[in-house]
Amino acid sequence: MINEKTAFGSGSATGARRAGSATGGWLGRFWKDSTGTMSYMAVAGSLVMMVFGGIGIDMIHAELKRTKVQNTLDRATLAAADLQQMLDPDFVVNDYFRAMDMSEALVSVDVETGLNYRRVVAEGYTTISSNFMQLIGVQNLQAEGVSAAEERINKVEVSLVLDISGSMENNDKMERLKSASQLFLDTIMTNQNHDLVSVSLVPYSEQVNVGPAVANHLNVDWRHGFSHCLEVPGSEFGSATLNTSITYEQTQHFQWNYFGNNDRDDTVCPQFSYEQITPFSMDREALKGQISQLQPRAGTSIFLGMKWATALLDPSSRAIADTQVSSGAAPMAVSGRPVDYDDEETIKTVVLMTDGQHDRSFRIQDWAYNSDSEIALWNRNNLWYYLVNNVSSRHWGAFYTQKYNAGMGDQLLDSICDAAKAQGIVVWGIGFEVTDHGAAVMQNCASSPSHFFRVEGAAIEDAFYAIARTINQLRLTQ
């Protein structure tokens, strides 16, 4: 037994020495092996790379903070500069920074307000503690920004052209138009700019009643005293100018378009005072009051509404504005309008609205409208009521003639729209529940496709409001 234990113990010691020798050899070889050893330069380079990587992280963090500060500044100054913003601009900017939990980052807010503008400049600054950059002695990083926003309402000359044709009676369209156009006036004619914006209101249907304020400045072959519609020669639609050198023919006073009762309210020329052009007005409430009285009448001649609207933006009609001022019908601020086209401080724009498209328009033959008694006859009688009750049907056609058709209307509108745009007048078009053809004609008239709105129902308010806000030119200035 002793010999066996001795033999066993002797064998274990030998195995241990062999294992130790094997382990020591592996460790020794590893210790002596220089093939994977990192040099001092490599260690130093790795440390440098780690530091620069950390610096990058610090800088990204700082840039994110700077972007947050700048974005908040931009949103805050834009809101504060809005002329419809009733809150104190300084409070608005501070409130934006409170909402972003960055009140300490707002350094200053400067507000400058004038008759036709508000400018807000704000500066932000904050520091960010560095992490890795402390290794190179930089304890903090800075995030700063500055933003300026301005809403400036330039002098504005507007021709607001509203369709009051008979089809506006359908689907509450007339009531929606009244609400939308009054919203437009409320938006563009504010208390801050009451003497900067003038509006010429041009209601139109089958004709345009220019009213005595305009007609008295023109040479007119007056035939009656019932209304003030004038026939415009086709050659005049190629120019924005109001031609004061020609003699205008007065539109006949009669009603065309009804059989049955002897109705005479919807004459070819709108005859009531609230249907006349109101030129160069700065009285928002008076304009809104006139709009509230409008009623659907007769046919649709968009080209005539556009012609008179354009003429009232052309310097050739300045004498009309000056007379309005001298008579007390307009304030002194209207004097000198329409200004020259190259006046950089003034925006000239037409807002042209229709719910339809051009159709035929008729006139009584000259032989049946050439005496005072005949003029009085058609004032007492609807044309078709008279013909049906007093004239044999085989003679009806001899009493009237067609003056315009749909194609002529489209061509004349195209001509006057081109003339307006050539002078730098901005033309906005609103097609209110129109056909595809009507939409195409109106879009072609507008200054660009983005200046045309095709709308249904209550969306007409959105269109008028969007146009008014665009004219008011809210913009970031830096």
Side-chain angles (χ1 to χ4, degrees):
M1 292 293 292
I2 294 173
N3 291 337
E4 288 178 0
K5 289 180 179 178
T6 300
F8 177 77
S10 174
S12 296
T14 302
R17 286 193 300 271
R18 290 175 179 173
S21 175
T23 303
W26 177 80
L27 287 172
R29 287 193 302 273
F30 177 78
W31 182 255
K32 296 177 181 179
D33 190 352
S34 62
T35 58
T37 301
M38 294 180 66
S39 66
Y40 292 113
M41 184 64 72
V43 172
S46 298
L47 292 174
V48 170
M49 291 177 63
M50 292 174 63
V51 169
F52 276 101
I55 291 173
I57 292 173
D58 281 346
M59 293 181 69
I60 290 172
H61 184 207
E63 177 59 21
L64 290 173
K65 189 72 171 181
R66 189 204 65 79
T67 301
K68 184 177 180 181
V69 170
Q70 186 64 54
N71 288 344
T72 305
L73 284 168
D74 288 345
R75 291 193 298 269
T77 55
L78 190 62
D82 188 347
L83 286 172
Q84 291 193 325
Q85 171 64 259
M86 294 296 102
L87 297 174
D88 178 69
D90 188 277
F91 171 82
V92 172
V93 176
N94 277 275
D95 194 50
Y96 267 78
F97 274 81
R98 280 192 293 270
M100 296 300 293
D101 195 26
M102 292 195 306
S103 295
E104 77 290 344
L106 183 60
V107 175
S108 65
V109 181
D110 295 317
V111 180
E112 181 182 354
T113 301
L115 180 64
N116 66 327
Y117 74 96
R118 179 186 294 159
R119 178 177 171 82
V120 179
V121 181
E123 184 177 357
Y125 178 88
T126 188
T127 59
I128 305 101
S129 297
S130 63
N131 294 309
F132 293 92
M133 293 184 74
Q134 293 181 12
L135 298 174
I136 58 173
V138 178
Q139 302 300 318
N140 297 297
L141 296 172
Q142 289 75 43
E144 58 186 337
V146 62
S147 179
E150 177 182 310
E151 183 176 23
R152 179 178 297 271
I153 302 177
N154 292 330
K155 294 178 182 178
V156 180
E157 296 173 1
V158 180
S159 285
L160 181 59
V161 196
L162 304 182
D163 186 342
I164 59 169
S165 61
S167 58
M168 287 294 293
E169 185 175 10
N170 304 324
N171 302 327
D172 292 325
K173 286 191 286 188
M174 180 58 78
E175 294 308 309
R176 292 189 187 278
L177 171 63
K178 291 178 181 180
S179 176
S181 54
Q182 289 170 339
L183 174 62
F184 173 86
L185 294 173
D186 283 335
T187 305
I188 200 170
M189 303 179 80
T190 65
N191 293 333
Q192 293 89 348
N193 68 0
H194 64 278
D195 61 350
L196 296 170
V197 179
S198 61
V199 175
S200 293
L201 179 61
V202 184
Y204 74 94
S205 53
E206 197 165 338
Q207 249 288 1
V208 176
N209 189 333
V210 301
V214 175
N216 289 345
H217 286 268
L218 302 172
N219 300 314
V220 181
D221 181 15
W222 294 110
R223 305 290 303 278
H224 61 80
F226 299 117
S227 56
H228 297 83
C229 292
L230 308 179
E231 303 290 3
V232 181
S235 58
E236 295 301 311
F237 288 85
S239 170
T241 303
L242 178 61
N243 193 340
T244 59
S245 65
I246 64 173
T247 298
Y248 291 86
E249 176 188 351
Q250 186 182 18
T251 302
Q252 299 167 345
H253 179 75
F254 77 102
Q255 183 160 321
W256 158 269
N257 55 334
Y258 292 101
F259 288 92
N261 295 330
N262 193 24
D263 181 17
R264 298 185 305 284
D265 285 341
D266 291 351
T267 49
V268 168
C269 173
Q271 60 185 296
F272 301 107
S273 59
Y274 56 81
E275 298 169 318
Q276 297 173 356
I277 287 177
T278 296
F280 312 114
S281 175
M282 290 185 170
D283 189 335
R284 178 181 62 187
E285 295 308 315
L287 290 168
K288 290 170 64 178
Q290 181 179 350
I291 289 171
S292 69
Q293 299 179 73
L294 296 176
Q295 299 296 325
R297 306 286 187 207
T300 306
S301 295
I302 310 169
F303 62 97
L304 285 171
M306 183 63 186
K307 171 58 187 178
W308 288 107
T310 301
L312 291 171
L313 295 174
D314 190 90
S316 58
S317 62
R318 190 174 297 161
I320 298 172
D322 290 343
T323 299
Q324 290 290 94
V325 173
S326 62
S327 67
M332 281 297 300
V334 168
S335 182
R337 298 193 179 204
V339 301
D340 293 338
Y341 286 115
D342 59 0
D343 187 326
E344 295 181 354
E345 295 185 356
T346 302
I347 299 170
K348 293 175 181 281
T349 186
V350 172
V351 180
L352 176 64
M353 169 269 161
T354 188
D355 79 319
Q357 60 190 49
H358 292 112
D359 200 352
R360 297 175 299 172
S361 184
F362 294 87
R363 302 291 185 269
I364 296 173
Q365 289 279 15
D366 288 340
W367 68 264
Y369 202 92
N370 63 1
S371 68
D372 291 343
S373 61
E374 289 169 343
I375 292 172
L377 171 69
W378 301 120
N379 179 49
R380 293 192 307 269
N381 294 277
N382 181 311
L383 173 65
W384 281 102
Y385 177 86
Y386 180 84
L387 294 180
V388 168
N389 289 279
N390 297 281
V391 179
S392 171
S393 60
R394 67 177 180 271
H395 297 307
W396 287 354
F399 277 79
Y400 58 84
T401 182
Q402 180 174 289
K403 186 170 183 64
Y404 299 111
N405 58 37
M408 292 170 62
D410 289 351
Q411 291 173 9
L412 292 172
L413 178 63
D414 184 59
S415 294
I416 187 57
C417 290
D418 286 347
K421 290 181 285 189
Q423 294 291 1
I425 296 173
V426 179
V427 181
W428 298 90
I430 300 176
F432 185 28
E433 300 184 7
V434 293
T435 64
D436 289 344
H437 175 78
V441 170
M442 288 292 287
Q443 181 171 314
N444 185 60
C445 178
S447 290
S448 74
S450 63
H451 286 78
F452 171 67
F453 294 79
R454 186 176 185 178
V455 294
E456 308 280 333
I460 190 173
E461 285 198 7
D462 296 333
F464 271 102
Y465 181 73
I467 293 169
R469 294 297 294 140
T470 301
I471 294 172
N472 281 352
Q473 295 184 102
L474 184 61
R475 59 186 173 88
L476 277 174
T477 58
Q478 81 177 53

